[in-house]
Amino acid sequence: MRKKKLGLALGAGGSRGIAHIGFLQALEEAEIVPDYICGSSMGAVVGGCYAAGITPQKMKERALGLKLGKIAAFNLAPYHSKGLMQLTRARELLETLIGGATFADLKIPFTCVATDLKRGETVVLGEGNLIDAVLASGSIPGVFTPARTEKYDMLSDGGILERVPAAQVKEMGADVVVAVDVLGDLLARQMPENLLGTVLRYIDIMDTHLTARTRSERKYIDLWLEPDLGDLDQYKVKDLDVAYEKGYELGSENVQTIKKLLGA
């Protein structure tokens, strides 16, 4: 019987975030169940589904068949909608998995982070409709229309200010914080080729510097992990099987370390 409570901070990462599913599969096979999960962007989607009781295997089956057209649809008036696309299809997909689940229904305590565009700050979402919250956490600015929840009316991607929400999962009550960053060093990635790519590059630069600061401080992080995903593009829905396998490898390589940290 382990002595300490485990908190997982699952970071943002677009398609690279599929690695989180593999990571959770490896932990599950080693009979390691987190006591708390906090996610950002794709980490929020994966973490929220897992907290709702969806197995990594079921998530994998759905994820590996994803195409962009199954996730988002173009806005007819993107300028007035404040985004090129909307996540209505992603909502429909999530509804087939978790229905109308609320945070109160979850099997594992879970929160996720988003960026409040009105206040210019990170907010922690932990009540109300689960799908509303995880989609808000994953609404990439400029790409997707800002999201609404019961409490906020203009939320965007949590990764803007908090790529890996380690401090937030610590605040939930975790004794041991394991942070999984699927993005790594974004500064070495391919240069933008169009307007949208340039906007996303701005975000990546800011994101990388903020995350480096969090990683270097390590006040509340017991284990910082990064899967080896090479140059896999987070903005393209391809090579998802590679992301899953690399996440699984990362989890398998670290289960004994995590057990030792937990006093198991």
Side-chain angles (χ1 to χ4, degrees), residues 182-198:
V182 299
L183 288 177
D185 182 6
L186 293 170
L187 300 184
R189 303 285 160 77
Q190 185 176 351
M191 291 299 99
E193 298 177 352
N194 51 43
L195 176 59
L196 179 57
T198 302

Side-chain angles (χ1 to χ4, degrees), residues 169-244:
V169 81
K170 180 69 173 179
E171 290 169 0
M172 293 175 73
D175 300 309
V176 173
V177 173
V178 174
V180 184
D181 178 18
V182 299
L183 288 177
D185 182 6
L186 293 170
L187 300 184
R189 303 285 160 77
Q190 185 176 351
M191 291 299 99
E193 298 177 352
N194 51 43
L195 176 59
L196 179 57
T198 302
V199 172
L200 295 175
R201 181 64 178 171
Y202 296 154
I203 297 169
D204 287 349
I205 291 170
M206 178 177 65
D207 181 11
T208 298
H209 285 289
L210 287 172
T211 303
R213 189 180 309 160
T214 299
R215 185 171 61 244
S216 64
E217 290 177 352
R218 287 182 174 267
K219 295 177 183 175
Y220 31 72
I221 302 168
D222 298 279
L223 186 62
W224 183 281
L225 300 174
E226 298 181 10
D228 180 12
L229 296 174
D231 61 355
L232 195 153
D233 191 335
Q234 64 168 318
Y235 301 117
K236 294 181 179 179
V237 188
K238 66 175 188 176
D239 296 326
L240 302 183
D241 55 333
V242 174
Y244 174 88

Side-chain angles (χ1 to χ4, degrees), residues 75-156:
N75 281 316
L76 296 178
Y79 181 80
H80 295 288
S81 301
K82 303 182 180 68
L84 292 174
M85 310 178 85
Q86 54 185 326
L87 289 168
T88 50
R89 292 175 182 172
R91 178 179 294 277
E92 292 169 358
L93 177 63
L94 287 171
E95 284 173 348
T96 65
L97 282 171
I98 57 179
T102 68
F103 282 86
D105 300 322
L106 301 181
K107 300 178 183 301
I108 298 172
F110 168 78
T111 59
C112 60
V113 295
T115 303
D116 184 349
L117 296 181
K118 283 189 173 181
R119 300 179 185 177
E121 62 186 23
T122 296
V123 295
V124 178
L125 306 176
E127 58 184 24
N129 183 274
L130 180 62
I131 293 178
D132 286 348
V134 299
L135 289 182
S137 184
S139 294
I140 302 171
V143 179
F144 300 122
T145 302
R148 294 174 176 269
T149 65
E150 293 177 7
K151 189 174 180 180
Y152 303 96
D153 59 7
M154 191 170 286
L155 294 178
S156 198

